[in-house]
mmCIF file of all heavy atoms in Angstrom:
data_model
loop_
_atom_site.group_PDB
_atom_site.id
_atom_site.type_symbol
_atom_site.label_atom_id
_atom_site.label_comp_id
_atom_site.label_asym_id
_atom_site.label_seq_id
_atom_site.Cartn_x
_atom_site.Cartn_y
_atom_site.Cartn_z
ATOM 1 N N GLU A 179 0.856 -1.176 0.000
ATOM 2 C CA GLU A 179 0.000 0.000 0.000
ATOM 3 C C GLU A 179 0.892 1.224 0.000
ATOM 4 O O GLU A 179 1.756 1.370 0.849
ATOM 5 C CB GLU A 179 -0.896 -0.010 1.222
ATOM 6 C CG GLU A 179 -1.862 -1.170 1.211
ATOM 7 C CD GLU A 179 -2.783 -1.157 2.407
ATOM 8 O OE1 GLU A 179 -3.104 -0.060 2.897
ATOM 9 O OE2 GLU A 179 -3.179 -2.242 2.831
ATOM 10 N N ILE A 180 0.691 2.077 -0.960
ATOM 11 C CA ILE A 180 1.534 3.259 -1.106
ATOM 12 C C ILE A 180 0.645 4.491 -1.024
ATOM 13 O O ILE A 180 -0.383 4.571 -1.669
ATOM 14 C CB ILE A 180 2.282 3.260 -2.448
ATOM 15 C CG1 ILE A 180 3.135 2.003 -2.576
ATOM 16 C CG2 ILE A 180 3.107 4.522 -2.608
ATOM 17 C CD1 ILE A 180 3.781 1.842 -3.916
ATOM 18 N N LYS A 181 1.069 5.437 -0.236
ATOM 19 C CA LYS A 181 0.364 6.707 -0.143
ATOM 20 C C LYS A 181 1.282 7.754 -0.738
ATOM 21 O O LYS A 181 2.369 7.988 -0.246
ATOM 22 C CB LYS A 181 0.047 7.053 1.305
ATOM 23 C CG LYS A 181 -0.609 8.400 1.468
ATOM 24 C CD LYS A 181 -0.722 8.755 2.936
ATOM 25 C CE LYS A 181 -1.142 10.182 3.133
ATOM 26 N NZ LYS A 181 -0.063 11.130 2.996
ATOM 27 N N LYS A 182 0.862 8.344 -1.821
ATOM 28 C CA LYS A 182 1.678 9.374 -2.454
ATOM 29 C C LYS A 182 0.806 10.584 -2.742
ATOM 30 O O LYS A 182 -0.368 10.454 -3.033
ATOM 31 C CB LYS A 182 2.303 8.863 -3.744
ATOM 32 C CG LYS A 182 3.308 7.767 -3.507
ATOM 33 C CD LYS A 182 4.058 7.467 -4.749
ATOM 34 C CE LYS A 182 5.084 6.398 -4.447
ATOM 35 N NZ LYS A 182 5.967 6.135 -5.525
ATOM 36 N N GLU A 183 1.410 11.741 -2.685
ATOM 37 C CA GLU A 183 0.718 12.969 -3.017
ATOM 38 C C GLU A 183 1.326 13.508 -4.296
ATOM 39 O O GLU A 183 2.488 13.261 -4.583
ATOM 40 C CB GLU A 183 0.904 13.992 -1.900
ATOM 41 C CG GLU A 183 0.319 13.536 -0.587
ATOM 42 C CD GLU A 183 0.611 14.501 0.542
ATOM 43 O OE1 GLU A 183 0.857 15.676 0.263
ATOM 44 O OE2 GLU A 183 0.570 14.070 1.692
ATOM 45 N N PRO A 184 0.553 14.256 -5.079
ATOM 46 C CA PRO A 184 1.115 14.789 -6.316
ATOM 47 C C PRO A 184 2.223 15.788 -6.023
ATOM 48 O O PRO A 184 2.183 16.508 -5.033
ATOM 49 C CB PRO A 184 -0.074 15.477 -6.986
ATOM 50 C CG PRO A 184 -1.074 15.681 -5.910
ATOM 51 C CD PRO A 184 -0.825 14.630 -4.872
ATOM 52 N N ALA A 185 3.208 15.799 -6.879
ATOM 53 C CA ALA A 185 4.321 16.730 -6.717
ATOM 54 C C ALA A 185 3.855 18.133 -7.050
ATOM 55 O O ALA A 185 3.029 18.341 -7.921
ATOM 56 C CB ALA A 185 5.474 16.323 -7.619
ATOM 57 N N SER A 186 4.410 19.102 -6.364
ATOM 58 C CA SER A 186 4.036 20.486 -6.621
ATOM 59 C C SER A 186 5.243 21.319 -7.026
ATOM 60 O O SER A 186 5.196 22.523 -6.966
ATOM 61 C CB SER A 186 3.398 21.080 -5.366
ATOM 62 O OG SER A 186 4.331 21.051 -4.313
ATOM 63 N N VAL A 187 6.307 20.640 -7.414
ATOM 64 C CA VAL A 187 7.515 21.353 -7.773
ATOM 65 C C VAL A 187 7.958 20.943 -9.174
ATOM 66 O O VAL A 187 7.769 19.816 -9.585
ATOM 67 C CB VAL A 187 8.669 21.059 -6.779
ATOM 68 C CG1 VAL A 187 8.346 21.624 -5.428
ATOM 69 C CG2 VAL A 187 8.930 19.583 -6.675
ATOM 70 N N PRO A 188 8.537 21.870 -9.938
ATOM 71 C CA PRO A 188 8.995 21.533 -11.279
ATOM 72 C C PRO A 188 10.282 20.729 -11.237
ATOM 73 O O PRO A 188 11.048 20.808 -10.276
ATOM 74 C CB PRO A 188 9.243 22.910 -11.914
ATOM 75 C CG PRO A 188 9.556 23.797 -10.753
ATOM 76 C CD PRO A 188 8.734 23.270 -9.609
ATOM 77 N N LEU A 189 10.518 19.975 -12.277
ATOM 78 C CA LEU A 189 11.772 19.226 -12.397
ATOM 79 C C LEU A 189 12.868 20.136 -12.923
ATOM 80 O O LEU A 189 12.610 21.077 -13.661
ATOM 81 C CB LEU A 189 11.603 18.060 -13.377
ATOM 82 C CG LEU A 189 10.727 16.925 -12.907
ATOM 83 C CD1 LEU A 189 10.597 15.899 -14.017
ATOM 84 C CD2 LEU A 189 11.330 16.266 -11.695
ATOM 85 N N MET A 190 14.093 19.817 -12.577
ATOM 86 C CA MET A 190 15.257 20.528 -13.110
ATOM 87 C C MET A 190 16.162 19.489 -13.733
ATOM 88 O O MET A 190 16.284 18.383 -13.233
ATOM 89 C CB MET A 190 16.019 21.260 -12.001
ATOM 90 C CG MET A 190 15.243 22.396 -11.386
ATOM 91 S SD MET A 190 16.164 23.223 -10.094
ATOM 92 C CE MET A 190 17.421 24.020 -11.042
ATOM 93 N N ASP A 191 16.803 19.821 -14.835
ATOM 94 C CA ASP A 191 17.719 18.893 -15.486
ATOM 95 C C ASP A 191 19.106 19.059 -14.896
ATOM 96 O O ASP A 191 19.875 19.896 -15.319
ATOM 97 C CB ASP A 191 17.765 19.160 -16.994
ATOM 98 C CG ASP A 191 16.430 18.857 -17.636
ATOM 99 O OD1 ASP A 191 15.791 17.889 -17.210
ATOM 100 O OD2 ASP A 191 16.039 19.584 -18.554
ATOM 101 N N SER A 192 19.403 18.259 -13.893
ATOM 102 C CA SER A 192 20.698 18.325 -13.226
ATOM 103 C C SER A 192 21.050 16.962 -12.674
ATOM 104 O O SER A 192 20.182 16.153 -12.401
ATOM 105 C CB SER A 192 20.666 19.305 -12.053
ATOM 106 O OG SER A 192 20.294 20.574 -12.470
ATOM 107 N N LYS A 193 22.330 16.742 -12.466
ATOM 108 C CA LYS A 193 22.778 15.528 -11.780
ATOM 109 C C LYS A 193 22.633 15.779 -10.287
ATOM 110 O O LYS A 193 22.753 16.902 -9.824
ATOM 111 C CB LYS A 193 24.239 15.247 -12.126
ATOM 112 C CG LYS A 193 24.399 14.807 -13.553
ATOM 113 C CD LYS A 193 25.559 13.878 -13.629
ATOM 114 C CE LYS A 193 25.610 13.295 -15.002
ATOM 115 N NZ LYS A 193 25.574 11.871 -15.000
ATOM 116 N N PRO A 194 22.394 14.722 -9.509
ATOM 117 C CA PRO A 194 22.243 14.929 -8.067
ATOM 118 C C PRO A 194 23.561 15.310 -7.407
ATOM 119 O O PRO A 194 24.617 14.914 -7.850
ATOM 120 C CB PRO A 194 21.773 13.565 -7.566
ATOM 121 C CG PRO A 194 22.217 12.610 -8.591
ATOM 122 C CD PRO A 194 22.222 13.352 -9.893
ATOM 123 N N GLU A 195 23.435 16.099 -6.364
ATOM 124 C CA GLU A 195 24.582 16.464 -5.545
ATOM 125 C C GLU A 195 24.232 16.091 -4.117
ATOM 126 O O GLU A 195 23.074 16.091 -3.739
ATOM 127 C CB GLU A 195 24.818 17.974 -5.581
ATOM 128 C CG GLU A 195 25.095 18.526 -6.956
ATOM 129 C CD GLU A 195 25.162 20.047 -6.908
ATOM 130 O OE1 GLU A 195 25.593 20.598 -5.892
ATOM 131 O OE2 GLU A 195 24.764 20.660 -7.883
ATOM 132 N N VAL A 196 25.213 15.796 -3.328
ATOM 133 C CA VAL A 196 24.962 15.520 -1.920
ATOM 134 C C VAL A 196 25.329 16.774 -1.152
ATOM 135 O O VAL A 196 26.453 17.258 -1.230
ATOM 136 C CB VAL A 196 25.784 14.309 -1.430
ATOM 137 C CG1 VAL A 196 25.562 14.106 0.052
ATOM 138 C CG2 VAL A 196 25.398 13.070 -2.207
ATOM 139 N N GLY A 197 24.359 17.340 -0.435
ATOM 140 C CA GLY A 197 24.581 18.581 0.288
ATOM 141 C C GLY A 197 25.052 18.351 1.699
ATOM 142 O O GLY A 197 25.042 17.237 2.195
ATOM 143 N N LYS A 198 25.458 19.429 2.338
ATOM 144 C CA LYS A 198 25.852 19.341 3.738
ATOM 145 C C LYS A 198 24.602 19.198 4.596
ATOM 146 O O LYS A 198 23.496 19.463 4.149
ATOM 147 C CB LYS A 198 26.639 20.584 4.119
ATOM 148 C CG LYS A 198 25.840 21.857 3.973
ATOM 149 C CD LYS A 198 26.674 23.066 4.263
ATOM 150 C CE LYS A 198 25.796 24.296 4.060
ATOM 151 N NZ LYS A 198 26.503 25.504 4.024
ATOM 152 N N LYS A 199 24.792 18.788 5.826
ATOM 153 C CA LYS A 199 23.663 18.627 6.743
ATOM 154 C C LYS A 199 22.941 19.959 6.904
ATOM 155 O O LYS A 199 23.552 21.003 7.030
ATOM 156 C CB LYS A 199 24.165 18.160 8.112
ATOM 157 C CG LYS A 199 24.472 16.706 8.144
ATOM 158 C CD LYS A 199 23.260 15.961 8.574
ATOM 159 C CE LYS A 199 23.621 14.492 8.749
ATOM 160 N NZ LYS A 199 22.498 13.688 9.044
ATOM 161 N N ALA A 200 21.627 19.879 6.906
ATOM 162 C CA ALA A 200 20.815 21.081 7.043
ATOM 163 C C ALA A 200 20.472 21.310 8.511
ATOM 164 O O ALA A 200 20.459 20.386 9.304
ATOM 165 C CB ALA A 200 19.530 20.921 6.244
ATOM 166 N N SER A 201 20.166 22.564 8.831
ATOM 167 C CA SER A 201 19.748 22.878 10.189
ATOM 168 C C SER A 201 18.299 22.450 10.383
ATOM 169 O O SER A 201 17.573 22.233 9.422
ATOM 170 C CB SER A 201 19.882 24.383 10.433
ATOM 171 O OG SER A 201 18.926 25.069 9.645
ATOM 172 N N GLN A 202 17.874 22.331 11.619
ATOM 173 C CA GLN A 202 16.504 21.933 11.927
ATOM 174 C C GLN A 202 15.497 22.933 11.356
ATOM 175 O O GLN A 202 14.432 22.552 10.927
ATOM 176 C CB GLN A 202 16.302 21.841 13.438
ATOM 177 C CG GLN A 202 16.990 20.676 14.079
ATOM 178 C CD GLN A 202 16.325 19.360 13.733
ATOM 179 O OE1 GLN A 202 16.505 18.826 12.658
ATOM 180 N NE2 GLN A 202 15.559 18.847 14.654
ATOM 181 N N GLU A 203 15.816 24.215 11.361
ATOM 182 C CA GLU A 203 14.871 25.246 10.940
ATOM 183 C C GLU A 203 14.662 25.266 9.439
ATOM 184 O O GLU A 203 13.637 25.707 8.969
ATOM 185 C CB GLU A 203 15.357 26.645 11.363
ATOM 186 C CG GLU A 203 15.699 26.823 12.812
ATOM 187 C CD GLU A 203 17.102 26.367 13.152
ATOM 188 O OE1 GLU A 203 18.049 26.729 12.441
ATOM 189 O OE2 GLU A 203 17.253 25.628 14.132
ATOM 190 N N ASP A 204 15.665 24.872 8.657
ATOM 191 C CA ASP A 204 15.585 25.039 7.211
ATOM 192 C C ASP A 204 16.150 23.817 6.521
ATOM 193 O O ASP A 204 17.286 23.830 6.062
ATOM 194 C CB ASP A 204 16.359 26.300 6.817
ATOM 195 C CG ASP A 204 16.195 26.618 5.344
ATOM 196 O OD1 ASP A 204 15.153 26.283 4.783
ATOM 197 O OD2 ASP A 204 17.127 27.189 4.767
ATOM 198 N N ARG A 205 15.356 22.754 6.464
ATOM 199 C CA ARG A 205 15.839 21.587 5.755
ATOM 200 C C ARG A 205 14.733 21.007 4.896
ATOM 201 O O ARG A 205 13.551 21.140 5.196
ATOM 202 C CB ARG A 205 16.430 20.570 6.696
ATOM 203 C CG ARG A 205 15.492 19.827 7.553
ATOM 204 C CD ARG A 205 16.273 18.867 8.410
ATOM 205 N NE ARG A 205 15.377 17.883 9.005
ATOM 206 C CZ ARG A 205 15.768 16.972 9.837
ATOM 207 N NH1 ARG A 205 17.026 16.893 10.188
ATOM 208 N NH2 ARG A 205 14.923 16.111 10.340
ATOM 209 N N PHE A 206 15.148 20.360 3.831
ATOM 210 C CA PHE A 206 14.231 19.814 2.850
ATOM 211 C C PHE A 206 14.584 18.356 2.599
ATOM 212 O O PHE A 206 15.760 17.991 2.600
ATOM 213 C CB PHE A 206 14.330 20.594 1.537
ATOM 214 C CG PHE A 206 13.984 22.045 1.696
ATOM 215 C CD1 PHE A 206 14.949 22.964 2.060
ATOM 216 C CD2 PHE A 206 12.688 22.483 1.495
ATOM 217 C CE1 PHE A 206 14.633 24.301 2.228
ATOM 218 C CE2 PHE A 206 12.362 23.818 1.662
ATOM 219 C CZ PHE A 206 13.329 24.735 2.029
ATOM 220 N N SER A 207 13.575 17.541 2.385
ATOM 221 C CA SER A 207 13.773 16.144 2.032
ATOM 222 C C SER A 207 12.848 15.814 0.870
ATOM 223 O O SER A 207 11.939 16.578 0.547
ATOM 224 C CB SER A 207 13.454 15.227 3.211
ATOM 225 O OG SER A 207 14.388 15.406 4.247
ATOM 226 N N ILE A 208 13.085 14.668 0.277
ATOM 227 C CA ILE A 208 12.240 14.182 -0.803
ATOM 228 C C ILE A 208 11.481 12.970 -0.275
ATOM 229 O O ILE A 208 12.103 12.020 0.194
ATOM 230 C CB ILE A 208 13.092 13.785 -2.019
ATOM 231 C CG1 ILE A 208 13.845 15.002 -2.552
ATOM 232 C CG2 ILE A 208 12.218 13.136 -3.103
ATOM 233 C CD1 ILE A 208 14.952 14.651 -3.523
ATOM 234 N N GLN A 209 10.152 13.027 -0.326
ATOM 235 C CA GLN A 209 9.378 11.850 0.057
ATOM 236 C C GLN A 209 9.168 11.013 -1.193
ATOM 237 O O GLN A 209 8.625 11.470 -2.180
ATOM 238 C CB GLN A 209 8.040 12.217 0.688
ATOM 239 C CG GLN A 209 7.295 10.954 1.096
ATOM 240 C CD GLN A 209 6.365 11.149 2.256
ATOM 241 O OE1 GLN A 209 6.644 11.939 3.155
ATOM 242 N NE2 GLN A 209 5.270 10.436 2.252
ATOM 243 N N VAL A 210 9.630 9.777 -1.117
ATOM 244 C CA VAL A 210 9.553 8.871 -2.256
ATOM 245 C C VAL A 210 8.306 7.995 -2.164
ATOM 246 O O VAL A 210 7.623 7.775 -3.159
ATOM 247 C CB VAL A 210 10.833 8.008 -2.342
ATOM 248 C CG1 VAL A 210 10.778 7.077 -3.538
ATOM 249 C CG2 VAL A 210 12.073 8.901 -2.416
ATOM 250 N N ALA A 211 8.001 7.498 -0.978
ATOM 251 C CA ALA A 211 6.834 6.628 -0.793
ATOM 252 C C ALA A 211 6.485 6.544 0.681
ATOM 253 O O ALA A 211 7.289 6.898 1.539
ATOM 254 C CB ALA A 211 7.125 5.233 -1.336
ATOM 255 N N SER A 212 5.283 6.054 0.949
ATOM 256 C CA SER A 212 4.831 5.821 2.312
ATOM 257 C C SER A 212 4.129 4.471 2.340
ATOM 258 O O SER A 212 3.199 4.233 1.562
ATOM 259 C CB SER A 212 3.866 6.931 2.737
ATOM 260 O OG SER A 212 3.460 6.757 4.068
ATOM 261 N N TYR A 213 4.587 3.594 3.223
ATOM 262 C CA TYR A 213 4.067 2.230 3.290
ATOM 263 C C TYR A 213 3.527 1.930 4.680
ATOM 264 O O TYR A 213 3.997 2.469 5.663
ATOM 265 C CB TYR A 213 5.184 1.214 3.015
ATOM 266 C CG TYR A 213 5.822 1.312 1.663
ATOM 267 C CD1 TYR A 213 7.068 1.918 1.515
ATOM 268 C CD2 TYR A 213 5.207 0.770 0.547
ATOM 269 C CE1 TYR A 213 7.674 1.981 0.276
ATOM 270 C CE2 TYR A 213 5.819 0.829 -0.694
ATOM 271 C CZ TYR A 213 7.042 1.441 -0.826
ATOM 272 O OH TYR A 213 7.636 1.495 -2.052
ATOM 273 N N ARG A 214 2.627 0.973 4.749
ATOM 274 C CA ARG A 214 2.174 0.454 6.040
ATOM 275 C C ARG A 214 3.078 -0.671 6.503
ATOM 276 O O ARG A 214 3.101 -0.997 7.673
ATOM 277 C CB ARG A 214 0.736 -0.036 5.949
ATOM 278 C CG ARG A 214 -0.243 1.101 5.803
ATOM 279 C CD ARG A 214 -1.647 0.582 5.887
ATOM 280 N NE ARG A 214 -2.585 1.669 5.712
ATOM 281 C CZ ARG A 214 -3.879 1.518 5.810
ATOM 282 N NH1 ARG A 214 -4.394 0.331 6.059
ATOM 283 N NH2 ARG A 214 -4.671 2.536 5.635
ATOM 284 N N GLY A 215 3.818 -1.264 5.592
ATOM 285 C CA GLY A 215 4.719 -2.356 5.939
ATOM 286 C C GLY A 215 6.169 -1.909 5.951
ATOM 287 O O GLY A 215 6.660 -1.352 4.971
ATOM 288 N N ASN A 216 6.850 -2.149 7.067
ATOM 289 C CA ASN A 216 8.238 -1.726 7.216
ATOM 290 C C ASN A 216 9.156 -2.411 6.203
ATOM 291 O O ASN A 216 10.115 -1.814 5.732
ATOM 292 C CB ASN A 216 8.717 -2.006 8.639
ATOM 293 C CG ASN A 216 10.070 -1.441 8.926
ATOM 294 O OD1 ASN A 216 10.477 -0.418 8.375
ATOM 295 N ND2 ASN A 216 10.808 -2.099 9.794
ATOM 296 N N HIS A 217 8.879 -3.661 5.844
ATOM 297 C CA HIS A 217 9.763 -4.370 4.925
ATOM 298 C C HIS A 217 9.765 -3.733 3.538
ATOM 299 O O HIS A 217 10.797 -3.698 2.875
ATOM 300 C CB HIS A 217 9.430 -5.860 4.855
ATOM 301 C CG HIS A 217 8.051 -6.168 4.397
ATOM 302 N ND1 HIS A 217 6.954 -6.028 5.209
ATOM 303 C CD2 HIS A 217 7.601 -6.612 3.206
ATOM 304 C CE1 HIS A 217 5.867 -6.372 4.535
ATOM 305 N NE2 HIS A 217 6.231 -6.737 3.319
#
């Protein structure tokens, strides 16, 4: 079971970069999926 919401951001044509750790006040993550089963 997957719970996903529609994306609200445009795509950019770039290769991924790994950023430095973000502060608690200003950090962003990407939600890929949400499951009821941990496995």
Side-chain angles (χ1 to χ4, degrees):
E179 295 182 31
I180 302 173
K181 176 188 170 280
K182 294 190 178 187
E183 298 175 23
S186 61
V187 293
L189 290 177
M190 293 180 70
D191 294 323
S192 302
K193 290 211 172 237
E195 300 174 33
V196 177
K198 61 184 179 193
K199 281 269 186 185
S201 68
Q202 289 289 78
E203 307 83 48
D204 186 30
R205 72 180 195 183
F206 299 87
S207 293
I208 298 166
Q209 181 152 326
V210 181
S212 182
Y213 299 102
R214 289 187 181 184
N216 188 30
H217 60 283

